[in-house]
Amino acid sequence: MIKKIILIVITVLSLIFGFILMKNWLNPLKSLGYINFLEGNKLVKEQKIEESLEKYKEAMKTSTDLNIKKNYEIVLRKKENQEQKENQEQKENKEQKNEQEQKNEQEQNSNQNQNQNQKENRKEEELKAILQRLEGNEKQALKNNERVQSNNEEKKLENRW
């Protein structure tokens, strides 16, 4: 008889326990973990990744639902991919900036070289012009000297006679 009473008590307790579990299973909205899970999902849709990860962490503390962990891992990967993409974009922007700076530097150097060459060409032309004038002056001076010498020679010859 005691065995029957114990068996009845165990059966009644398991029914009560089963009913409580079923009630919780049918009403997941009342659990804090599920509420945090839903808030995390909402934040993901709003592109608030950091905040959604925090909500999923809170939900995992109070619930053993695997969907929470899966969503947490998916959002975490999404965040890592975003960071990787941002780093890649920053790296590409930096490379483009460096390339542009190099191009600008090359253009400046090219312009400076052209200016330098132009200055050198002008100097050469000026020197040539000066040399031509000097040559012209020398020729004129030689002619004048020849005239003076011929005049002097004529005067000497005249004086001799």
Side-chain angles (χ1 to χ4, degrees), residues 13-129:
L13 287 176
S14 64
L15 284 173
I16 292 172
F17 184 70
F19 179 72
I20 291 172
L21 287 177
M22 186 155 69
K23 186 177 179 186
N24 285 340
W25 182 73
L26 291 175
N27 258 337
L29 292 177
K30 292 183 181 176
S31 81
L32 183 61
Y34 193 72
I35 292 171
N36 285 330
F37 173 69
L38 292 177
E39 287 179 19
N41 289 344
K42 180 182 173 190
L43 291 169
V44 169
K45 289 178 184 175
E46 295 173 1
Q47 298 296 322
K48 297 179 180 178
I49 304 297
E50 289 292 326
E51 294 171 18
S52 68
L53 287 173
E54 290 301 316
K55 288 296 179 179
Y56 287 138
K57 283 181 188 177
E58 290 175 22
M60 285 190 287
K61 289 178 186 176
T62 57
S63 177
T64 58
D65 189 358
L66 289 177
N67 289 325
I68 298 170
K69 186 174 181 181
K70 286 180 184 178
N71 281 17
Y72 177 81
E73 290 173 355
I74 290 169
V75 173
L76 187 61
R77 273 189 249 122
K78 183 177 181 179
K79 177 187 171 198
E80 290 170 353
N81 289 340
Q82 258 182 347
E83 289 172 351
Q84 229 175 13
K85 185 178 178 183
E86 288 172 1
N87 288 340
Q88 184 67 25
E89 287 175 356
Q90 287 175 351
K91 185 178 179 182
E92 288 173 358
N93 288 341
K94 190 174 183 181
E95 287 174 357
Q96 286 177 346
K97 185 178 178 183
N98 287 341
E99 287 175 7
Q100 187 62 38
E101 287 175 356
Q102 286 177 349
K103 284 181 182 178
N104 290 342
E105 218 173 284
Q106 287 174 349
E107 286 177 8
Q108 278 182 336
N109 290 340
S110 175
N111 289 340
Q112 287 176 350
N113 288 340
Q114 286 177 349
N115 289 339
Q116 186 72 22
N117 290 340
Q118 287 175 350
K119 287 179 183 178
E120 288 175 5
N121 289 341
R122 278 190 219 130
K123 285 181 182 179
E124 284 180 27
E125 289 173 5
E126 287 175 2
L127 288 175
K128 285 179 184 177

